[in-house]
Amino acid sequence: MLGRRQLMARAAALAATQFLAGQLHARPAASRVRTTVDPFALGVASGEPSVEGFVLWTRIAGLGEDRLVGYEIAEDHGFRRIVRRGTALAPLARGGAVHLEARGLEAGRLYFYRFHFGEALRRTGTGATIT
């Protein structure tokens, strides 16, 4: 069951994501993805494993404004069995840091994840749930 604080945080994140998605679609495609550096040069990480998921982090380099970052979580390294897919906000106010809580996953198994930003695709990382 969600507490009031969690519900409010999720509602705010959803509203921001929907607003930014509308803003991104209003721009020409080429202007949405231009960066002068590798957007994932600052790395990615996973941690805080639980029985139902884990947390993913990345920080997008070279941001000039708030942007959405895509992610995928799969059961296999080749991403043929994707179990989660979506977007997360990389706010300029937090230096482009993305903090994503992946929940609802099967306990006691290894998962593969990757982020994408425009044309850039970050190499595959691994995260595991605990039993």
Side-chain angles (χ1 to χ4, degrees), residues 3-109:
R4 182 177 180 270
R5 180 177 275 175
Q6 290 175 313
L7 182 61
M8 295 301 292
R10 288 184 184 184
L14 178 61
T17 300
Q18 289 176 338
F19 171 77
L20 289 172
Q23 294 295 310
L24 292 176
H25 291 301
R27 299 184 189 134
S31 69
R32 284 187 271 147
V33 297
R34 291 184 192 256
T35 60
T36 57
V37 297
D38 172 8
F40 299 108
L42 302 172
V44 299
S46 68
E48 296 186 28
S50 71
V51 294
E52 67 170 344
F54 44 84
V55 175
L56 299 177
W57 296 276
T58 191
R59 185 168 170 218
I60 305 300
L63 279 183
E65 60 186 302
D66 293 353
R67 294 294 182 131
L68 292 175
V69 177
Y71 69 90
E72 296 173 317
I73 301 171
E75 294 178 340
D76 64 305
H77 190 269
F79 285 80
R80 289 177 299 279
R81 293 185 312 274
I82 296 173
V83 296
R84 295 282 183 281
R85 174 183 282 142
T87 57
L89 183 63
L92 183 60
R94 287 195 330 226
V98 175
H99 175 102
L100 170 69
E101 294 186 22
R103 299 287 177 244
L105 302 174
E106 187 179 325
R109 68 171 297 146

